[in-house]
Amino acid sequence: MRRSDAADPPGAHHHRLDAPLELTVFAGGRVTRHPLPDEGRVSLGRSKENDVPIDDSSVSRRHAIIHLGPTIAIEDLGSANGTRLRRERSAGPTTKLLELQLEPGKTMELSVGDAVNLGSALIVIVPREGATSAAPAQGPGEPIVIDPAMQRLYALAERVAGSPITVLLLGETGAGKEVLAEHIHRRSPRAQGPFLRLNCAALSESLLESELFGHEKGAFTSAGQAKPGLLETAEKGTVLLDEVGELPPSIQVKLLRVLEDRKVMRVGGLSPRPIDVRFLSATNRDLAAEVKRGAFREDLFFRLNGIALTIPPLRARVAEIAPLARAIAERTAGALGRRAPAFAPETIAALEAHPWPGNIRELRNVIERAVVLSGGDTVLPEHLLLDAAAAPPAAAPLAPTVDTSVAPAAAAVGTVAPAKAADDDAGAARSGQSAGDLRRELDAIERRRIVDALEQCAGNQTQAAALLGMPRRTFVARLDAYGIPRPRKRKSNE
């Protein structure tokens, strides 16, 4: 069997496992698995006549054949968009990601776990699920993964973690994309390196370029000294580009060049610098649709979309709501110097019945608020204030009214009607806490969250307000009320 001369970089090892194998296909936003025979040929392509049909427009009708036996190989059948293998190659102290293009009519040997692109679709040969233990560990610091769909997702993420390919995390806002990204990093060979996250929506275009790529001394007015960028700082580690769909077009071009060359050019620099970084990206946008309307580069999308993992919304993971709520309550109570409260059965029922449009981020806000409002050993349904967002503003609110579905703790009290507020004050008094003490505690929590949001968004008030689910006008009023200095607008050349 002939092989392409460029197929075998030094140090490549071609072998198969004794365990049964399966083909995992990532295409069209879906993941499918197909058991593989021990020996024989498996055809791949868009036509339904193939052994493994792949429903993706970038895949040819008859694209490739996998040859199975003592070794594994793939043969390109003259496809329109090509067959490419991604493989890490060690070169001294650094590791380089190679992308090998398979010539039409030639074959290339594969190892279990190699990532192969057929057009923009991705295939990986892995041990068949059930042949090895695929359940993620559930130790201290591990994410709470109970729902069967989430268990499958995390098992898949653990397989992906060991490979060098880029990963695109998709899901609604607050669904847990950053948590999954950190999990992939911890399970990867780069776990001992840094994990750095950049919110692409929180910085202006000029600041984003400087933060990503760094700058040389004198590159702009305030550049008094040279500064390495995020990509250099993350050497041997992982970078998460959060909200990657918000990248401006000029940064998209430069990021694409970094992904292809594995080098960065500092702002004001004359020569590129090599980097060794694993890229993860996350977005709540439909990037394929953004590509069609011209808002996102297609070539960058293909580079980022080595594997796409979609996180289900919290409302689809009802079994995880109660464990998540208890974990959040324990952490919040610990920060307040209290014992973690229990949850009444009707409280759990109310939590599981709520649609959670803000996902885990909304759940965290609700539980942190409930722990403060409970003032005792048990969280009751009335402490959740789940209906407060839909209720009309009270005639004489205790504080300015904001949307409580995702707002911080203190803001929610402002939507409670006077009679209800009196009941809550009475409950607080019975537990040894006065209404004034409760208010101060709530205010302190909200002030801390506002300051944290501003720091996370680099002082951008609009982004910080959006992060907290608060109207900007209300957010500005809170800054004044809590005596938080307003961040100065940065000059355009900074």
Side-chain angles (χ1 to χ4, degrees):
M1 188 177 297
R2 294 182 63 195
R3 292 186 285 119
S4 170
D5 294 337
D8 298 312
H13 300 285
H14 307 295
H15 63 278
R16 63 170 297 156
L17 301 177
D18 293 334
L21 301 176
E22 68 181 15
L23 181 70
T24 306
V25 179
F26 304 84
R30 299 175 60 243
V31 181
T32 56
R33 297 180 179 84
H34 310 268
L36 294 174
D38 293 335
E39 296 182 347
R41 293 155 49 103
V42 176
S43 61
L44 313 171
R46 201 172 69 251
S47 171
K48 294 183 179 179
E49 297 176 358
N50 290 286
D51 298 317
V52 178
I54 301 176
D55 186 15
D56 189 293
S57 59
S58 67
V59 176
S60 298
R61 291 182 60 80
R62 294 184 71 251
H63 197 111
I65 289 178
I66 295 177
H67 300 271
L68 297 155
T71 60
I72 307 170
I74 187 166
E75 176 185 358
D76 185 272
L77 300 177
S79 63
N81 292 315
T83 301
R84 305 182 306 280
L85 169 67
R86 300 180 185 183
R87 177 177 287 156
E88 278 191 346
R89 176 184 178 183
S90 297
T94 63
T95 300
K96 188 174 183 180
L97 180 64
L98 297 180
E99 183 169 278
L100 308 172
Q101 180 80 34
L102 180 59
E103 297 177 19
K106 300 270 183 96
T107 62
M108 179 188 302
E109 289 190 6
L110 300 177
S111 296
V112 174
D114 278 345
V116 180
N117 276 106
L118 309 182
S120 61
L122 181 79
I123 62 170
V124 184
I125 296 176
V126 296
R128 191 176 303 172
E129 194 162 331
T132 59
S133 176
Q138 193 74 53
E142 292 292 330
I144 294 174
V145 181
I146 297 173
D147 180 80
M150 287 292 285
Q151 288 181 343
R152 290 192 295 270
L153 175 68
Y154 269 77
L156 183 59
E158 294 207 1
R159 297 182 186 182
V160 169
S163 70
I165 58 178
T166 55
V167 181
L168 178 61
L169 304 176
L170 305 173
E172 296 179 3
T173 298
K177 297 186 288 294
E178 185 176 352
V179 173
L180 180 56
E182 291 179 359
H183 185 78
I184 291 173
H185 171 70
R186 288 196 300 268
R187 291 291 190 270
S188 76
R190 299 173 179 271
Q192 300 304 312
F195 175 82
L196 300 179
R197 170 186 176 272
L198 180 69
N199 187 334
C200 300
L203 300 175
S204 66
E205 184 172 341
S206 58
L207 279 174
L208 185 59
E209 182 178 11
S210 177
E211 287 296 318
L212 266 178
F213 309 121
H215 61 256
E216 298 290 359
K217 181 179 179 180
F220 43 83
T221 304
S222 62
Q225 59 184 13
K227 174 190 172 185
L230 182 74
L231 301 184
E232 287 184 69
T233 308
E235 183 72 11
K236 300 291 185 182
T238 304
V239 168
L240 170 63
L241 300 175
D242 200 7
E243 305 295 348
V244 73
E246 311 298 329
L247 281 176
S250 63
I251 305 297
Q252 292 182 31
V253 174
K254 294 180 180 180
L255 178 60
L256 176 64
R257 191 176 301 123
V258 171
L259 289 167
E260 291 178 340
D261 300 340
R262 298 287 158 164
K263 296 179 180 179
V264 295
M265 178 75 80
R266 290 182 180 179
V267 177
L270 299 177
S271 59
R273 299 166 179 263
I275 60 168
D276 179 10
V277 171
R278 168 81 175 278
F279 286 92
L280 309 177
S281 52
T283 182
N284 60 359
R285 289 179 176 266
D286 183 348
L287 285 190
E290 296 294 298
V291 168
K292 287 183 179 179
R293 74 180 188 90
F296 201 85
R297 292 182 62 97
E298 184 176 40
D299 44 9
L300 178 58
F301 172 61
F302 288 149
R303 278 290 183 179
L304 295 175
N305 191 23
I307 290 180
L309 302 179
T310 302
I311 304 174
L314 184 58
R315 58 184 172 275
R317 298 144 48 189
V318 176
E320 294 183 357
I321 292 176
L324 283 168
R326 293 188 178 100
I328 295 168
E330 183 175 357
R331 185 170 62 247
T332 305
L336 296 173
R338 299 181 185 174
R339 187 174 61 181
F343 285 81
E346 55 270 27
T347 306
I348 296 297
L351 290 170
E352 292 179 346
H354 188 67
W356 300 111
N359 291 291
I360 297 175
R361 187 172 295 146
E362 180 188 1
L363 176 66
R364 184 176 66 244
N365 291 340
V366 167
I367 298 303
E368 288 178 350
R369 181 175 65 216
V371 170
V372 174
L373 292 176
S374 67
D377 296 330
T378 304
V379 175
L380 302 175
E382 54 263 32
H383 298 139
L384 301 177
L385 301 178
L386 289 177
D387 296 328
L398 296 178
T401 303
V402 301
D403 182 355
T404 60
S405 59
V406 291
V413 181
T415 62
V416 182
K420 177 67 176 178
D423 290 342
D424 288 343
D425 288 347
R430 283 194 300 270
S431 64
Q433 183 181 37
S434 70
D437 291 339
L438 177 61
R439 169 53 52 78
R440 283 189 291 273
E441 197 168 353
L442 290 168
D443 286 349
I445 290 175
E446 184 177 37
R447 190 183 192 283
R448 185 183 71 239
R449 298 196 67 153
I450 289 175
V451 171
D452 289 346
L454 282 170
E455 290 179 355
Q456 185 174 345
C457 297
N460 187 308
Q461 298 174 49
T462 301
Q463 294 292 341
L467 185 65
L468 295 174
M470 188 182 298
R472 190 181 187 281
R473 183 177 300 177
T474 303
F475 181 83
V476 172
R478 296 287 186 194
L479 294 180
D480 294 338
Y482 292 131
I484 302 172
R486 294 198 202 179
R488 294 182 178 180
K489 292 185 177 179
R490 300 179 187 266
K491 296 179 181 179
S492 59
N493 64 345
E494 290 185 345

